Amino acid sequence: MGIVVLTMKASVIEMFLVLLATGIHSNKDMTKKIKRPKLTVPQINCDVKAGKIINPEFVVKCPAGCQDPKYHVYGTDIYASYSSVCGAAIHSGVLDNSGGKILVRKVAGQSGYKGSYSNGVQSLSLPRWRESFIVSEGKPQRGVTYPSALTYSSSKSPAAKTDEATKAYQKPPVPGTTAQPVTLTQVTGATATGAAHASLPKPSPSAGSTSSSLRPQPVGLRSGELDLWATSTYTSGQNSPHADPGFVPKEELSTRALEPLSQGDPNCKIDLSFVIDGSSSIGKRRFRIQKQFLADVAQALDIGPAGPLMGIVQYGDNPSAQFNLRTHMNSRDLRTAIEKITQRGGLSNAGRAISFVTKNFFSKANGNRGSAPNVAVVIVDGWPTDKVEEASRFARESGINIFFITVEGATENEKQYVVEPNFSHKAVCRTNGFYSLNVQSWFSLHKTVQALVKRVCDTDRLACSKTCLNSADIGFVIDGSSSVGTGNFRTVLQFVANLSKEFEISDIDTRIGAVQYTYEQRLEFGFDDYNTKSDILNAIKRVGYWSGGTSTGAAINYALEQLFKKSKPNKRKLMILITDGRSYDDVRIPAMVAHHKGVITYAIGVAWAAQDELEVIATHPAKDHSFFVDEFDNLYKFVPKVIQNICTEFNSQPRN
């Protein structure tokens, strides 16, 4: 019996071993059956930009020859999605110019991209872009499935250039839903229903281009403006929740034009202050209308650092800056800030507000650029409760172009209550109608947006802008000593006239005065005597030759007391002294006094003039403010140089 039992146990063990072996072979066969096919790697062209590919992570094959500079790259290590994918791969060192496979992963947009030269590719800088990508070697990561066909953001993929039957249709998924992959194969009739919701909407005909890459404008943006501040976070297996992250115009743009937020309209480079009425009389509803008007203007202006900048001052009893020129550097942020403005209440003291703008708003600290005209647009409900004439005059003389918008002005019966008749006429830069807008009703204020924008952007007509030629009090101090002689003196006067012709002369622009000296001094005419160019030139002709000694130091003191003491505080003070010899008295102390009082002194010596003395008289640096001419007949040659130096110095200083 024991032997039989052993035999049965052996049989059972043998059967178990057979079954075990059979199972192993069966599993091997199953493994062979479910083995995944080899990954198909899509091939792209050198000009394909990452932003045109919707897939958040993918492996692609680049062709040879993508090192060409025409394939633009933006950034270093992390690249803006407007970059050539293959160009970025070469720049990063993952590929060389022979091409190959790369792994691309989308990441969030960056606040800035720094250009650099690497591996034969010069990448460019970009201030901001809404989507980025990084490139690595084309080795698939374990557990990640990569698409064998790419999904493009436009109706026809770049690959379709060589295969017209290959197309891409994809609608960005709604956040919180799972994106359904769409391959590049032609959509058939069986899937027509599914394709209907996966197709991109057609671009609006008003977009101004037939490019297939155009998309409809988002709500709240005007034509031509993109919502480029949106950023996206991508994870494997999900598409971006933002439509068409690679949208760009069809035309190849410059680096400046590619910046995601507009740099502003360069044809309207102005520093603009809106002075808005926040008085109690305006009411809440009309105040909201005023804010909407400001928002519409901000949108129409195309705010940006290379174009117009805009700040807002609100006034009631007293003025207050809501924000300055540098606070908001694009139209969208500016519109958001305008919406948050609350009404101050009180009286309507527009004159006080204009004074505030002149003294405080247009400063370098508040963003005044100096190279852009200063413009103030004053909005008043009805009429101001204080006077505006003197405040406006000071603003004009400070180079501020004042526009006045009067809404629902005084009726005939109400004019008796107006503090200052014709206040708008007295306030504006010029009384030619260009700077005034009269609006019958707050409800029609929106109709003036385009008219106002056109006017403030017409920089050629902004007559009150300060320049080197319209913002000075210029005093000529002329040597009339015996050594000059009658003929040479007339030559000196012609030189003075030639210089004067270059300036814009009026009572609020540049003013001219003249002193002649020998041992004594004589005021030929003061700053207030003549306010037109023709009158000034005639006055210069009438100056008679005096003859005598040469006391230049005393002449400088005299000019400071009799001429520049009456100069306006907001004017640049320029003294142009012309002499043909060494002074009989000391010039050092008078010159120091002039410099201390802010008088910019140019010293021009002729023939026997002492050059060391000219350098003492001249403002520092002397090389820019002193000139020596060997003979009187060559004086005319120095007119352009003197004007150039005056303007160079002016443009290097803050405007106000």
Side-chain angles (χ1 to χ4, degrees):
M1 287 296 292
I3 296 174
V4 174
V5 172
L6 289 173
T7 303
M8 289 179 66
K9 288 183 177 179
S11 297
V12 172
I13 293 172
E14 185 178 351
M15 289 177 65
F16 175 77
L17 292 174
V18 171
L19 289 172
L20 182 62
T22 303
I24 292 172
H25 286 295
S26 177
N27 288 337
K28 287 182 178 179
D29 291 339
M30 289 177 65
T31 302
K32 289 179 181 178
K33 288 179 182 179
I34 65 173
K35 186 176 181 181
R36 293 181 180 178
K38 186 177 181 181
L39 174 66
T40 301
V41 178
Q43 181 161 342
I44 60 173
N45 297 327
C46 296
D47 60 351
V48 174
K49 300 175 177 66
K52 299 298 291 180
I53 301 172
I54 291 180
N55 307 84
E57 191 168 358
F58 52 89
V59 176
V60 291
K61 185 176 181 181
C62 291
C66 295
Q67 200 174 32
D68 195 304
K70 69 181 179 181
Y71 306 123
H72 293 172
V73 178
Y74 300 90
T76 301
D77 297 329
I78 299 177
Y79 301 95
S81 64
Y82 192 66
S83 304
S84 160
V85 173
C86 299
I90 296 174
H91 182 271
S92 66
V94 174
L95 287 185
D96 57 25
N97 201 35
S98 62
K101 291 191 296 183
I102 57 172
L103 173 61
V104 179
R105 183 163 60 90
K106 298 285 189 68
V107 294
Q110 305 292 303
S111 59
Y113 300 85
K114 186 176 182 180
S116 63
Y117 182 82
S118 179
N119 301 309
V121 175
Q122 175 65 60
S123 69
L124 306 174
S125 296
L126 196 65
R128 188 184 294 266
W129 197 251
R130 61 180 176 182
E131 182 187 63
S132 311
F133 69 99
I134 56 177
V135 187
S136 57
E137 294 181 3
K139 296 179 180 179
Q141 297 181 12
R142 182 175 299 177
V144 180
T145 301
Y146 299 97
S148 58
L150 301 176
T151 305
Y152 289 84
S153 61
S154 59
S155 61
K156 183 179 289 186
S157 74
K161 295 177 181 178
T162 57
D163 183 2
E164 289 298 323
T166 304
K167 294 189 176 182
Y169 296 87
Q170 175 70 28
K171 180 178 180 179
V174 177
T177 64
T178 303
Q180 298 298 322
V182 181
T183 64
L184 293 178
T185 56
Q186 184 80 32
V187 178
T188 64
T191 59
T193 303
H197 76 271
S199 300
L200 282 174
K202 293 181 180 179
S204 169
S206 64
S209 173
T210 58
S211 170
S212 63
S213 65
L214 289 176
R215 65 175 178 180
Q217 295 299 325
V219 175
L221 296 178
R222 64 192 176 96
S223 176
E225 180 173 334
L226 306 178
D227 184 14
L228 297 173
W229 281 83
T231 58
S232 308
T233 302
Y234 297 93
T235 57
S236 179
Q238 289 182 314
N239 284 334
S240 165
H242 298 279
D244 191 2
F247 172 83
V248 289
K250 181 178 180 181
E251 298 83 0
E252 184 63 48
L253 303 175
S254 67
T255 303
R256 185 187 189 108
L258 292 175
E259 294 168 0
L261 276 175
S262 172
Q263 291 296 290
D265 181 4
N267 296 316
C268 183
K269 187 178 181 181
I270 59 172
D271 289 342
L272 172 63
S273 169
F274 263 93
V275 186
I276 65 172
D277 194 339
S279 62
S280 300
S281 65
I282 194 174
K284 292 182 178 180
R285 184 180 182 186
R286 289 182 291 182
F287 189 76
R288 286 196 300 269
I289 292 173
Q290 184 176 214
K291 291 203 300 180
Q292 184 58 52
F293 173 75
L294 296 177
D296 293 342
V297 171
Q299 186 69 29
L301 277 174
D302 190 9
I303 300 297
L309 295 180
M310 177 175 157
I312 293 178
V313 170
Q314 182 185 171
Y315 67 93
D317 290 332
N318 295 297
S320 175
Q322 301 296 300
F323 41 83
N324 62 36
L325 295 167
R326 64 171 56 182
T327 307
H328 303 293
M329 304 297 284
N330 61 79
S331 295
R332 191 186 68 181
D333 290 352
L334 190 56
R335 286 167 60 92
T336 302
I338 290 169
E339 179 60 30
K340 297 177 181 178
I341 295 175
T342 57
Q343 188 176 357
R344 292 180 62 84
L347 299 175
S348 185
N349 290 330
R352 189 173 294 178
I354 294 170
S355 293
F356 174 86
V357 168
T358 305
K359 296 175 182 177
N360 302 295
F361 187 85
F362 289 109
S363 66
K364 188 174 182 180
N366 287 332
N368 185 31
R369 290 172 287 185
S371 60
N374 295 162
V375 179
V377 178
V378 182
I379 304 176
V380 63
D381 174 43
W383 58 89
T385 53
D386 65 347
K387 293 185 177 182
V388 301
E389 184 175 12
E390 288 304 315
S392 299
R393 181 192 298 275
F394 186 61
R396 292 195 303 271
E397 292 177 353
S398 298
I400 300 172
N401 296 273
I402 295 184
F403 288 75
F404 227 84
I405 301 178
T406 305
V407 187
E408 299 181 2
T411 64
E412 287 299 321
N413 292 333
E414 292 172 331
K415 286 184 178 179
Q416 60 181 315
Y417 304 115
V418 176
V419 174
E420 187 177 34
N422 299 319
F423 59 87
S424 177
H425 185 85
K426 297 173 181 177
V428 294
C429 173
R430 293 289 187 270
T431 57
N432 55 10
F434 181 77
Y435 296 86
S436 302
L437 288 169
N438 294 304
V439 184
Q440 296 301 314
S441 167
W442 280 98
F443 301 102
S444 58
L445 181 61
H446 67 279
K447 298 178 181 179
T448 66
V449 170
Q450 293 302 325
L452 178 64
V453 168
K454 184 177 180 180
R455 294 187 192 188
V456 299
C457 290
D458 190 356
T459 54
D460 290 337
R461 296 189 64 181
L462 298 180
C464 289
S465 299
K466 290 177 68 175
T467 71
C468 60
L469 302 178
N470 71 2
S471 58
D473 281 344
I474 302 176
F476 289 97
V477 181
I478 306 167
D479 184 352
S481 61
S482 302
S483 58
V484 175
T486 303
N488 289 335
F489 188 77
R490 305 316 304 175
T491 302
V492 170
L493 292 182
Q494 186 60 54
F495 173 70
V496 171
N498 289 343
L499 282 174
S500 300
K501 287 178 184 177
E502 298 295 325
F503 294 90
E504 299 171 24
I505 297 172
S506 76
D507 59 334
I508 63 170
D509 294 312
T510 290
R511 303 186 304 168
I512 304 291
V515 167
Q516 184 183 177
Y517 74 95
T518 57
Y519 284 126
E520 300 177 283
Q521 307 83 35
R522 182 169 71 195
L523 179 65
E524 300 293 353
F525 52 89
F527 293 137
D528 294 323
D529 291 347
Y530 307 104
N531 56 23
T532 68
K533 187 173 294 187
S534 59
D535 287 346
I536 288 292
L537 296 179
N538 287 331
I540 293 170
K541 286 182 181 179
R542 291 194 296 268
V543 174
Y545 176 48
W546 203 357
S547 186
T550 309
S551 295
T552 305
I556 294 172
N557 284 331
Y558 181 86
L560 293 175
E561 185 65 26
Q562 299 298 321
L563 201 56
F564 288 102
K565 194 172 183 178
K566 299 178 182 179
S567 181
K568 293 185 177 181
N570 61 315
K571 294 288 187 182
R572 296 173 70 237
K573 304 173 183 63
L574 303 180
M575 180 190 297
I576 300 178
L577 186 144
I578 308 158
T579 182
D580 79 328
R582 185 177 290 275
S583 177
Y584 292 170
D585 61 355
D586 179 64
V587 299
R588 293 180 181 274
I589 294 177
M592 289 176 60
V593 172
H595 301 162
H596 181 72
K597 291 185 175 183
V599 178
I600 301 169
T601 307
Y602 290 82
I604 301 172
V606 189
W608 303 280
Q611 294 191 40
D612 60 328
E613 201 169 73
L614 297 176
E615 292 177 359
V616 169
I617 296 170
T619 295
H620 180 79
K623 64 181 181 63
D624 295 329
H625 297 85
S626 64
F627 305 89
F628 180 79
V629 187
D630 54 357
E631 54 186 63
F632 286 94
D633 288 342
N634 289 331
L635 267 173
Y636 74 94
K637 297 179 180 179
F638 283 80
V639 171
K641 182 63 176 175
V642 173
I643 297 296
Q644 178 185 341
N645 285 19
I646 289 173
C647 287
T648 298
E649 183 175 52
F650 175 86
N651 291 331
S652 67
Q653 302 298 319
R655 180 164 290 252
N656 292 314

